[in-house]
Each structure stands twice: as structure tokens, then as C-alpha cells.
Amino acid sequence: MTKGEGNRPEGQNPSPASPPYTALHPMYKRMKQTSLKSSGGKQPRKGRHNSGTAQQRPSRAQAKETAGKMAVDRLKQHAHAAHADVTGKIREAVEAGAGKELPTGDSYDMLPAMFGLQVEAMRDASGTMHDVVAAADQVPAFTVFKMQGREITTAESEALEAADTTGERMDCLHVINDKVVLDVFDTQYSCALRLVKRAEHACRQNVRTEEYGGAVYLITTRDINRGEPLLGYWEWEADDETRTRTQSAPLSASPPPPLGSW
């Protein structure tokens, strides 16, 4: 007979050993009370890990702020990807010799046949008429045009901006680098692309301008339908926004503006 078997009848199996801590064991009670205190008096749910601290749900304002930050991050990633894609398309077109160079001056007779563009008088959101470059036929996405104009220094461009009261001259300045700016206002040196107007919101732009290899190029970001004006988008300061309001397009993403207005 082994130790602990007592006077067990012959043939009877020994009872299984009791667990070290049962519901009646005083040590088990003390462990359970300590766990309840650390969890705020709540029983740990079955199947879930109990970290020992009560987790608080974020408030509605916190959740909204987090969602907003995530949306901004996604927009930044999309903008960076779009910028890289546009720059790559410009590089491909320039290396392949496919960048289109419009004739300088204020004669636009050959634009429709050679470049699919035309200059029309269109009315802006305030009712003011402007000469606008538009699509004479459908212009495919990622069509690249070379901007032409007179290269001036940064100091000269700042002086022109300071003297500009209408905003027309300011819209014709394109930065090449920190020392050189391309001025496309003068018809003697520039082409019809100087008539590209500013959209009031980025969602309405259909062209972008980018510097590449010491020159400025304009690229279409989507297919542009016949009669649709070419609209770019660039940031303005508060004073610039006020004095150039008449050149803005209405805030809208779709549909494209009708012929004769933008």
C-alpha cells in the first residue's frame, strides 16, 4: 500500500489528485479579490485577455479627429503619387521628343489643326469676358506642351507681383528654380498657353505645370473634351485671392463647364 491510500477496498481506483487551488481554497479567494480590484470590480470575460486595467472607448470628438487625420494622410499620399506620375510622364515625353511647342505671338490660326487647341472668348463666374485657351477637339490625358516665355530673375518677378493690381501678370509667372522665373505674359516671347486660367478648386483643374530640365511644361491630367477650357490650379495668398477673384472658376467638380463659360 502506498502512502495516502488508507484502507481502500481492493480493486478500487484511487481518486484523482485535487487541483492546487479550488474555489474553496483560501489562496484562490485572495487571488480572485486582487484581480477584481485591478479590473475595477468587473469579472474578466471568458475568452478575452484581461490586461488588469479597464479600457476606455475614445470620445466621438477624438474618433472624428483621428478619422480626419487619416483622411489627410491618404490625400497627401495620393498627391505625392500623382505628382510623381505627372513628372514621370513629362520626362517620358521630353526624352521621346513628344513635347509639343506652340508658336509664339498672338496668332492662333494654326492651333486647332496642329495642336488641338483654340482660343475663345469665354465668360467667367463674375460675368467678365476673357480670352481662354480651350480644346478644339478631345485632348488626351498626359499630353505635354512646353511653356514659352522670357526668363527673369526672382527679384524681377517679385517686383512685377508687387505692381500687379489685376492678377493677370502674377498668373503668368512660373518658377524654374530659386533664381529664375519664366514670365509668359509678353506675347512676343510666349504662346497661347499664357491664357490658361485658374480653377477655383483643385478638383476642377485638368492641367498642371511642372519644371523639368530647366524648362516649364504643361501636361493634361485627364481627357479634355471639345470646347472645355484648360484650367490649372495654384495657391494664392489672401490679398491675391481678393484682387483676382474675377478670374476664378465656380467651385464645382462636375460636369465640365458649358461652351462659352467656365
Side-chain angles (χ1 to χ4, degrees), residues 83-145:
H83 176 76
D85 188 36
V86 164
T87 304
K89 294 292 185 182
I90 291 176
R91 182 179 64 253
E92 292 175 4
V94 172
E95 292 177 353
K100 300 183 178 182
E101 190 169 336
L102 277 64
T104 58
D106 54 3
S107 177
Y108 312 122
D109 295 339
M110 63 179 64
L111 293 183
M114 296 185 62
F115 305 100
L117 302 176
Q118 60 188 2
V119 175
E120 298 182 4
M122 291 190 179
R123 196 181 307 276
D124 66 9
S126 67
T128 306
M129 297 296 293
H130 299 273
D131 285 337
V132 177
V133 59
D137 201 352
Q138 188 180 62
V139 180
F142 303 120
T143 302
V144 177
F145 301 93

Side-chain angles (χ1 to χ4, degrees), residues 25-43:
H25 199 285
M27 181 61 72
Y28 174 83
K29 291 182 179 180
R30 286 197 293 271
M31 293 174 60
K32 185 175 181 181
Q33 290 172 358
T34 303
S35 175
L36 289 176
K37 288 180 181 179
S38 63
S39 62
K42 296 182 180 180
Q43 289 274 10

